[in-house]
Amino acid sequence: MIDFESYIKCCEKKLEDKFELIDGIAFKNQEKVLKAFQKNKIAVRHFAGTTGYGYGDEGRDTLGQVYADAFHAEAGIVSPHILSGTHALTVALFGLLRPGDTLLCVSGEPYDTIRPVISGEGIGSLKDYGVNFKCVGLTSDGLFDFDNIGDTLSDGVGVVYIQRSRGYELRDAFSCSQIGEVCRFVRGRGFKGCIFVDNCYGEFVEECEPTDCGADIIVGSLIKNAGGGIAPTGGYICGGRDYIQRIGGRMTAPSIGLEVGSYEGGYRYFYEGLFMAPHVVAQALKCSLLIGIAMTDLGYKNYPSIDKMPFDITRCIQFDDADAMINFIREVQYASPVDSYVTCEPWDMPGYDDDIIMAAGTFVSGASIELSADGPVKPPYIAYFQGGLTYEHGKCALKNILNKLAKQ
Ligand SMILES: *Cc1c(COP(=O)(O)O)cnc(C)c1O
């Protein structure tokens, strides 16, 4: 019998320095979030639900402002009516762009579910509405290609789009400092439009957010980092007040903007989720590093390198074949608090071209801030592992995985 627990202790010893840095970041972010609550004088009444049009819904309006303040932005839309990260990105892009404008993505191909939103044919995509799309790939080192960005930046570009996290690409997430470099670069070239960041999986990973480094708009999902594992659904869009107003016309209707929107269930989970988010993100980062160091030890290539501090909560782990990948993902499912008895199968998920296998034995359906793993079942057979509401849960999952690998 192999003593997995002493092995895990060994791994933890090697991660001590990084864990200390993560605790430091969580503390800074907790202070930021707390300040945002205090500045907005959050009280019990903000948690109350409303019905119908929701005119004067103080909980809704203040929720947007608290998120905005936590992200050092002017204004924000935070709503359970934003159904997912993809929906949040869609609302924001449609709000900002007009026929004839160009959307310029500078971080390589955007995330799978956003591609049809941008360039789908006859499905009400941005393209169908006459918005052009240009995409600048990354250099072979996975970095921003400044020469190409400079050459592609033209008068018609209305939005420069940056994806912070890797998505289903084999590259590391961008740091806020790298994002800041792009912002300074495009401004230096006279760009006057909106710098837009898909912030999914990046919130509270560093002490700063893209909005601290020159981004005008950041967008994300509440069932990832920003909802702290507590928000039951939703998304956020934060940034400059004028941009948020403009997006508000698309979020609801052009005439009524952000004056309406009710939610009878109330807003406590959304406030509490933001409050928890810095801590929960720290737990997820520790889970990612622990799994990373163990898988590296066992000879599996995985990214980001465990020698580096991660810039998002996801970890890609490469397997030799489909079976090995599927087995790993199944073990994560077996280590879940919910649906632990279920064996994951790949399926044709809406919005994705390939069959996706997903372990998400989560309290909130599909929440990937909870311990989860997924990926398209195709070469190079990469599983994307992320989340963990508690670090201890990550340890339990690792024990499961080690056990399975030992049996083989
Ligand atoms: C998850 C994710 C999205 C989309 O979010 P959903 O909530 O799944 O629609 C967009 N971009 C990135 C980088 C993501 O990781």
Side-chain angles (χ1 to χ4, degrees), residues 104 106 146 149-150 153 157 160 162 179-195 214 216:
L104 170 61
V106 297
F146 287 100
I149 295 172
L153 198 61
V157 173
V160 167
I162 303 166
I179 291 171
E181 240 181 289
V182 175
C183 296
R184 282 192 301 279
F185 178 82
V186 298
R187 291 295 180 222
R189 294 294 175 104
F191 177 64
K192 299 235 162 34
C194 176
I195 302 177
D216 297 305

Side-chain angles (χ1 to χ4, degrees), residues 84-86 89 111 113 163 165 198 200-201 221 224:
S84 65
T86 306
L89 291 158
Y111 188 73
T113 57
Q163 183 180 305
S165 177
D198 171 355
C200 283
Y201 286 139
S221 162
K224 294 180 177 175

Side-chain angles (χ1 to χ4, degrees), residues 83-89 110-114 161 163-168 171 198-201 219-224 234 312 314 349 352 358 366 368 386:
L83 311 175
S84 65
T86 306
H87 187 206
L89 291 158
Y111 188 73
D112 300 52
T113 57
I114 312 304
Y161 184 103
Q163 183 180 305
R164 183 171 174 185
S165 177
R166 59 171 55 81
Y168 288 144
R171 63 145 169 106
D198 171 355
N199 208 25
C200 283
Y201 286 139
V219 179
S221 162
L222 297 191
I223 64 169
K224 294 180 177 175
D312 69 4
T314 70
M349 241 174 116
Y352 297 88
M358 181 174 273
S368 46
Q386 66 273 313

Side-chain angles (χ1 to χ4, degrees), residues 111-406:
Y111 188 73
D112 300 52
T113 57
I114 312 304
R115 290 177 205 167
V117 173
I118 296 170
S119 3
E121 298 274 354
I123 54 169
S125 66
L126 284 166
K127 183 180 179 185
D128 288 338
Y129 282 92
V131 173
N132 308 306
F133 178 58
K134 285 186 187 157
C135 181
V136 176
L138 302 174
T139 65
S140 53
D141 304 326
L143 300 172
F144 291 114
D145 185 343
F146 287 100
D147 288 342
N148 249 322
I149 295 172
D151 291 344
T152 316
L153 198 61
S154 60
D155 281 350
V157 173
V159 171
V160 167
Y161 184 103
I162 303 166
Q163 183 180 305
R164 183 171 174 185
S165 177
R166 59 171 55 81
Y168 288 144
E169 303 289 319
L170 197 64
R171 63 145 169 106
D172 286 347
F174 293 115
S175 66
C176 282
S177 132
Q178 286 173 299
I179 291 171
E181 240 181 289
V182 175
C183 296
R184 282 192 301 279
F185 178 82
V186 298
R187 291 295 180 222
R189 294 294 175 104
F191 177 64
K192 299 235 162 34
C194 176
I195 302 177
F196 182 111
V197 176
D198 171 355
N199 208 25
C200 283
Y201 286 139
E203 300 91 349
F204 302 120
V205 168
E206 294 182 81
E207 281 178 24
C208 53
E209 296 294 333
T211 31
D212 293 306
C213 313
D216 297 305
I217 288 287
I218 56 174
V219 179
S221 162
L222 297 191
I223 64 169
K224 294 180 177 175
N225 303 20
I230 295 198
T233 186
Y236 75 86
I237 304 166
C238 290
R241 197 171 304 284
D242 292 347
Y243 287 130
I244 293 296
Q245 279 304 323
R246 207 173 148 131
I247 294 166
R250 175 54 51 181
M251 171 73 199
T252 63
S255 58
I256 50 183
L258 297 173
E259 302 292 322
V260 297
S262 68
Y263 188 58
E264 193 174 17
Y267 300 102
R268 180 171 65 86
Y269 290 142
F270 303 94
Y271 284 99
E272 198 171 342
L274 175 62
F275 176 76
M276 291 299 294
H279 177 73
V280 169
V281 167
Q283 302 296 292
L285 284 170
K286 289 178 182 180
C287 290
S288 161
L289 284 166
L290 181 70
I291 296 280
I293 202 164
M295 295 309 280
T296 305
D297 240 11
L298 295 166
Y300 293 89
K301 271 197 212 154
N302 67 94
Y303 310 89
S305 154
I306 41 127
D307 301 329
K308 295 204 298 191
M309 279 295 278
F311 292 123
D312 69 4
I313 65 164
T314 70
R315 174 160 302 279
C316 349
I317 306 163
Q318 192 170 351
F319 294 89
D320 292 335
D321 50 53
D323 277 350
M325 171 186 173
I326 291 170
N327 277 334
F328 172 86
I329 286 175
R330 285 180 174 163
E331 286 310 314
V332 173
Q333 182 77 32
Y334 297 143
S336 301
V338 182
D339 294 337
S340 61
Y341 55 89
V342 165
T343 299
C344 296
E345 296 289 347
W347 68 299
D348 182 14
M349 241 174 116
Y352 297 88
D353 285 342
D354 309 287
D355 277 0
I356 303 272
I357 182 164
M358 181 174 273
T362 51
F363 292 95
V364 169
S365 182
S368 46
I369 185 63
E370 299 184 45
L371 198 82
S372 51
D374 53 80
V377 185
K378 62 166 184 190
Y381 301 113
I382 290 171
Y384 296 78
F385 171 91
Q386 66 273 313
L389 296 181
T390 72
Y391 170 61
E392 291 76 17
H393 186 200
K395 289 211 266 191
C396 298
L398 178 58
K399 255 178 92 172
N400 252 27
I401 291 160
L402 293 173
N403 213 344
K404 173 80 181 175
L405 289 171

Side-chain angles (χ1 to χ4, degrees), residues 82-99:
I82 296 178
L83 311 175
S84 65
T86 306
H87 187 206
L89 291 158
T90 301
V91 168
L93 289 173
F94 272 89
L96 293 168
L97 290 155
R98 294 291 180 268

